[in-house]
Structures are given as C-alpha cells and as structure tokens.
C-alpha cells in the first residue's frame, strides 16, 4: 500500500509540475523554484526524448498521451526516418550523430515503443520499431556490430561499438509480433 501511495503521489506531482499545458509536453524543471526556468524564462522547456517517458511509465492520462503521440509523429521534430532523436530536430543544438543532442539510443526507443503499445498505439509502435531496426540492420550487415547509438536521419552510427544495450533490438522484434 505504501508503494502504491508513493506511486500515486509521484504521478500527481509529475503531471502538476512537469507537464506544460501551453506546449502539451513534459519538461525538466528547476527544483529550486519548481519552474521551467533556470537562467532565463522558460529556458528549461527543451523538447527532448524524456518528455515522452511518461507514456512508458504509465503516469500520464489518455488526453496527454494523445498529445504526446501527436508530437512524437511530427517529422519536423521527432518522427525521423530512423527513430525518435534524443533532442527535437528543431533545436539549434540538434545533431543526429552528436551524442545526447540528437541521435537514437535504442534502449530509449524501446521504452517509447512499450509506452505506445501500452496506450493502445500499436500501429505507431510498430512503425517506430521498423524505423529503428532498419538502421540497426543496415549496420549489422555492413559493420557487424551493435553501435552505442544511431543517427535518426541517415545511415550513421557512432561513437562506440559492440554495445550490449543495443541488443534490445531483439525485444523489439519479439514484442512487435
């Protein structure tokens, strides 16, 4: 009961504090003043992959889930040829092979995939898995390794190879069927 109560309270706080009604997205917040501002007004409103994690965590609601899926499928920001980048493609800092400012991290893609499925967006989840796996399969055929991350936009992968967490690709295939 205590864990359930803690989960309920955490869910409430996430939706009260991290959800922005204006942009319909979840963001990091400044713990000191519980706002989306750190050095300047709204500077923490950075659209990044973490804004979709409430789908996987099951802490959003049906309405917010719909907004998140709509945002996720916006090809100008997140719905890229090979998955969901870690940072919106509209950001000035977006770089599809630039470590945390744009590439596809397979383990995070799997969390989004599960969240989509859990909320009933099975077709979208299947398309996401297909996009991610296309680039991974390309590199397995050419490089014969799992990479640390992959480009969301083209056939690039980097920086480190033989990363075990990319093996979650198998889970994509199992769950997609």
């Amino acid at each position: 009961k205590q864990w359930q109560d803690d989960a309920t309270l955490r869910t409430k706080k996430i939706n009260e504090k991290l959800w922005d009604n204006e942009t319909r997205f979840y963001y990091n917040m400044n713990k000191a003043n519980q706002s989306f501002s750190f050095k300047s007004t709204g500077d923490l409103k950075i659209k990044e992959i973490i804004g979709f994690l409430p789908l996987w965590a099951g802490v959003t609601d049906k309405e917010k889930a719909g907004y998140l899926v709509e945002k996720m499928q916006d090809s100008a920001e997140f719905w890229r040829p090979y998955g969901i980048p870690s940072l919106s493609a509209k950001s000035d800092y977006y770089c599809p092979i630039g470590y945390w400012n744009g590439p596809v991290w397979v383990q995070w893609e799997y969390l989004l995939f599960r969240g989509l499925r859990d909320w009933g967006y099975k077709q979208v989840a299947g398309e996401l898995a297909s996009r991610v796996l296309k680039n991974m399969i390309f590199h397995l055929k050419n490089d014969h390794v799992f990479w640390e991350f992959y480009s969301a936009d083209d056939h690039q992968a980097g920086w480190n190879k033989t990363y075990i967490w990319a093996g979650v690709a198998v889970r994509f295939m199992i769950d997609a069927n």
Side-chain angles (χ1 to χ4, degrees):
K1 180 170 178 356
Q2 179 185 347
W3 287 6
Q4 187 60 51
D5 291 345
D6 288 349
T8 300
L9 180 60
R10 231 179 279 286
T11 295
K12 182 179 180 214
K13 285 183 178 181
I14 288 168
N15 285 292
E16 285 176 0
K17 305 291 184 183
L18 304 181
W19 176 258
D20 178 52
N21 281 320
E22 181 184 328
T23 59
R24 297 178 173 159
F25 202 70
Y26 289 94
Y27 299 99
N28 286 306
M29 71 164 204
N30 183 338
K31 185 178 177 184
N33 62 17
Q34 298 188 0
S35 74
F36 296 127
S37 302
F38 182 64
K39 291 185 177 179
S40 60
T41 303
D43 63 347
L44 293 178
K45 284 187 181 180
I46 300 168
K47 290 182 186 160
E48 53 188 329
I49 199 166
I50 63 156
F52 298 115
L53 288 183
L55 288 170
W56 164 74
V59 299
T60 192
D61 59 37
K62 189 169 182 63
E63 181 181 26
K64 288 180 180 86
Y67 292 138
L68 291 174
V69 173
E70 183 179 325
K71 177 72 67 189
M72 186 184 290
Q73 291 183 285
D74 179 351
S75 62
E77 285 197 273
F78 290 106
W79 199 245
R80 310 304 283 181
Y82 298 108
I84 307 298
S86 53
L87 181 65
S88 166
K90 284 187 176 179
S91 171
D92 292 341
Y93 298 102
Y94 179 71
C95 178
I97 202 76
Y99 223 67
W100 278 106
N101 55 338
V104 166
W105 296 81
V106 180
Q107 68 278 26
W108 288 71
E109 303 296 304
Y110 181 74
L111 297 178
L112 300 185
F113 168 83
R114 287 302 316 178
L116 288 165
R117 286 183 58 87
D118 291 348
W119 281 98
Y121 295 95
K122 291 185 176 155
Q123 185 176 354
V124 179
E127 177 62 26
L128 175 60
S130 176
R131 288 171 183 241
V132 172
L133 291 171
K134 269 190 232 174
N135 210 2
M136 293 184 77
I137 290 166
F138 172 86
H139 284 284
L140 281 170
K141 287 180 178 179
N142 289 284
D143 311 331
H144 310 291
V145 296
F146 283 124
W147 287 92
E148 183 178 15
F149 60 76
Y150 299 83
S151 169
D153 295 334
D154 52 37
H155 286 299
Q156 291 187 71
W159 289 358
N160 300 297
K161 55 186 173 182
T162 316
Y163 260 71
I164 192 68
W165 64 43
V168 78
V170 175
R171 201 64 231 192
F172 270 117
M173 291 184 264
I174 292 168
D175 290 353
N177 294 319

